[in-house]
Amino acid sequence: MRVLVVEDERLLADAIAEWLRDEAHAVDLAHDGASALERAGVNDYDVVVLDRDLPAVHGDDVCRELVAAGAAARVLMLTAAAEVTDRVAGLGLGADDYLTKPFAFPELAARVLALGRRSRPAAPPVLRRAGITLDPARREVFRDGRYVPLAPKEFAVLTELLRADGAVVSSEQLLEKAWDEHADPFTGAVRLTVLKLRRKLADPPVIETVKGAGYRIP
């Protein structure tokens, strides 16, 4: 999934981003509300992890703007305030979930995953196709009962191909969901990742290249 982390405490922002990237998400960072709104206007995010207490443009205003703009991204609001009234206020602004600081990174990752499912058309929690079983929560992949160890980008690309349910997924779509805003679309990263995936999934070949269109798992 594509995630935007908006947090002015840079060490915490970097830690969140690193954790989510290890979970095979593409993560962009913003350290203030204005930058967050700028990125959200350009990129198609599944989830926005939003610190409520931002300087300049407050997190509340960022949330309002995202909702008013009809953004598809789900918002997970972070705050040091633990009072029920604060949580109610945050949810009343349009946030989809609320997490108080300090928090456990595994819980944050689980909430991001759950919100990401809600930002798209419904999909089963475990994806299965062509002998492949992928469990996003456990980060496990099996091919015909054989465990397949995958790197985060390989896992992210395979997830998108399985979610497509047989439809073609373009290289641009894969780049959008599996890489962050610094990815160079001309590097061939998608093609290389698909090659590695094919090798790890082994025979018979399961990922088809549709010339001029992209890739699919029929």
Side-chain angles (χ1 to χ4, degrees):
M1 294 185 298
R2 188 79 178 267
V3 181
L4 175 63
V5 174
V6 190
E7 169 61 65
D8 64 312
E9 296 180 35
R10 293 178 180 258
L11 290 177
L12 177 58
D14 290 342
I16 293 171
E18 182 178 358
W19 189 278
L20 293 177
R21 285 170 181 148
D22 286 343
E23 295 291 312
H25 302 307
V27 182
D28 295 335
L29 285 175
H31 300 297
D32 59 76
S35 299
L37 291 172
E38 180 181 351
R39 284 174 170 79
V42 174
N43 300 308
D44 180 20
Y45 293 107
D46 297 293
V47 178
V48 176
V49 178
L50 175 64
D51 180 32
R52 189 175 186 186
D53 304 310
L54 293 172
V57 180
H58 196 270
D60 288 358
D61 296 320
V62 174
C63 189
R64 286 192 191 96
E65 289 284 340
L66 291 174
V67 173
R74 301 292 182 171
V75 177
L76 171 59
M77 191 169 277
L78 304 178
T79 184
E83 296 296 326
V84 172
T85 52
D86 293 302
R87 295 198 296 272
V88 171
L91 294 171
L93 294 167
D96 298 279
D97 199 359
Y98 205 94
L99 191 59
T100 56
K101 300 177 182 178
F103 51 82
F105 284 110
E107 181 181 4
L108 172 69
R111 288 174 182 256
V112 167
L113 182 61
L115 288 176
R117 291 196 190 106
R118 290 164 54 188
S119 72
R120 303 179 180 194
V126 176
L127 302 171
R128 293 183 175 88
R129 190 172 189 88
I132 299 171
T133 300
L134 183 148
D135 187 333
R138 295 179 179 273
R139 295 261 348 269
E140 292 180 342
V141 174
F142 293 86
R143 173 80 191 275
D144 295 326
R146 175 182 62 88
Y147 175 69
V148 182
L150 296 181
K153 288 290 184 286
E154 296 162 359
F155 189 91
V157 167
L158 182 60
T159 300
E160 294 302 317
L161 291 173
L162 290 173
R163 284 187 62 95
D165 198 25
V168 175
V169 183
S170 70
S171 295
E172 291 77 15
Q173 289 173 302
L174 292 173
L175 198 66
E176 170 74 19
K177 292 301 183 184
W179 280 262
D180 60 26
E181 62 186 352
H182 302 295
D184 184 347
F186 303 105
T187 60
V190 172
R191 182 179 59 82
L192 181 59
T193 301
V194 170
L195 285 174
K196 290 179 179 178
L197 258 179
R198 284 173 171 152
R199 188 179 307 120
K200 290 185 177 182
L201 291 172
D203 291 329
V206 69
I207 302 175
E208 290 186 355
T209 299
V210 181
K211 190 173 181 181
Y215 305 93
R216 70 177 177 184
I217 298 177

